[in-house]
Amino acid sequence: MILLSPFSGLFQCTKNLFLRDGSTGLRIKEIARKNAANALSVANMVMGMASIMSSLNGHHHAACWMVLIGYLLDLADGAVARLLGACSVSGAKLDDFADFTTFGIATSLLLMTSDLLDNILCVCYVLTVLFRLCFWQSGIPFMYRGLPCTYSSAILASASLLPGGNQAMMRVIAVAMILFMISQNFYPHDKVLESQTWKKAVFAGGVVMVFCSSFPPACVYYLLWSVSYILFPTSLWSSKV
């Protein structure tokens, strides 16, 4: 028995080490599960900040595509949170901050010029997005009141990338998006990654279009996608369809 005791002690230490490693692994997996959606929200915010810096440095094409990448990330973070059962109040607040950065400030800078009226339009757009994020609750589950700022930003970024696009056209679109966002119309919650296969294919197509960003038709894809949500919100994009 005395001879076996060192081996027993070694066995016990090894067992405790494996148990500790297993517990650490489970803890890491749990942390990753709880923060996967938050990581996507942070990535969305990073895209927004990168778009802001691109706009300030005159890289308009890159700024637009950063907004569109943020658009994809925003559609994914909610789906990931629900899939992993990691929805939280802090996560929702982080998502709002990311949305305001990308779809508020970054998108408004796409409209900025040296003209005073354009700068006033930028301020109005940012305030509208802020209002939209603060008062989006409709009282009806899985419904938005007013157009989600994600889609208005995608339309503005896509239109800005179109060949032959001009500032007058952007002003008209921006005013239209502001009116849609403050409207009392109801829009369905777009669970693109939790719905029909064709919606998932549309999302996958959007990811592919990111790698084709140097080709003008790529922005048309996002434009048609976003406009279809405005024109056919219930018949196409409702999660109940």
Side-chain angles (χ1 to χ4, degrees):
M1 294 296 295
I2 297 175
L3 292 175
L4 291 176
S5 59
F7 295 99
S8 299
L10 178 62
F11 174 77
Q12 187 65 34
C13 290
T14 305
K15 181 179 178 182
N16 290 338
L17 179 62
F18 277 112
L19 288 174
R20 194 179 302 113
D21 287 345
S23 177
T24 302
L26 290 175
R27 196 176 299 113
I28 291 173
K29 289 180 180 179
E30 181 64 14
I31 292 172
R33 182 187 70 81
K34 289 183 177 180
N35 291 283
N38 291 340
L40 291 174
S41 294
V42 170
N44 179 13
M45 187 180 297
V46 170
M47 289 298 105
M49 291 187 290
S51 178
I52 291 170
M53 290 186 288
S54 296
S55 291
L56 294 177
N57 286 287
H59 304 300
H60 185 74
H61 186 273
C64 291
W65 276 104
M66 294 297 177
V67 169
L68 292 176
I69 293 173
Y71 169 76
L72 294 174
L73 292 169
D74 185 65
L75 291 176
D77 62 4
V80 170
R82 287 185 290 271
L83 178 66
L84 298 178
C87 298
S88 65
V89 175
S90 60
K93 290 180 179 178
L94 177 61
D95 183 55
D96 284 344
F97 281 126
D99 288 351
F100 182 67
T101 302
T102 305
F103 310 125
I105 301 173
T107 302
S108 70
L109 290 179
L110 300 180
L111 305 167
M112 187 179 66
T113 67
S114 58
D115 189 278
L116 177 61
L117 290 178
D118 287 334
N119 293 329
I120 293 174
L121 183 59
C122 289
V123 173
C124 290
Y125 189 90
V126 171
L127 292 177
T128 302
V129 171
L130 179 62
F131 176 85
R132 175 68 185 70
L133 290 172
C134 291
F135 303 104
W136 68 269
Q137 294 89 348
S138 66
I140 302 175
F142 306 113
M143 293 292 288
Y144 298 117
R145 187 186 293 276
L147 179 69
C149 56
T150 312
Y151 286 94
S152 60
S153 291
I155 289 173
L156 280 168
S158 302
S160 187
L161 287 168
L162 287 175
N166 55 63
Q167 193 63 25
M169 178 188 73
M170 292 298 296
R171 291 168 187 157
V172 172
I173 295 175
V175 171
M177 293 302 101
I178 289 173
L179 294 176
F180 274 118
M181 283 191 287
I182 64 175
S183 72
Q184 297 300 298
N185 296 329
F186 290 103
Y187 291 88
H189 195 297
D190 51 336
K191 295 184 178 181
V192 175
L193 293 177
E194 304 163 81
S195 190
Q196 296 97 322
T197 304
W198 71 266
K199 293 181 183 178
K200 297 176 184 177
V202 168
F203 183 90
V207 175
V208 172
M209 288 299 114
V210 171
F211 299 97
C212 304
S213 58
S214 58
F215 298 97
C219 64
V220 177
Y221 186 90
Y222 286 95
L223 187 62
L224 293 176
W225 180 0
S226 304
V227 169
S228 71
Y229 180 82
I230 295 178
L231 297 179
F232 311 105
T234 305
S235 58
L236 277 181
W237 296 103
S238 174
S239 58
K240 297 181 180 180
V241 174

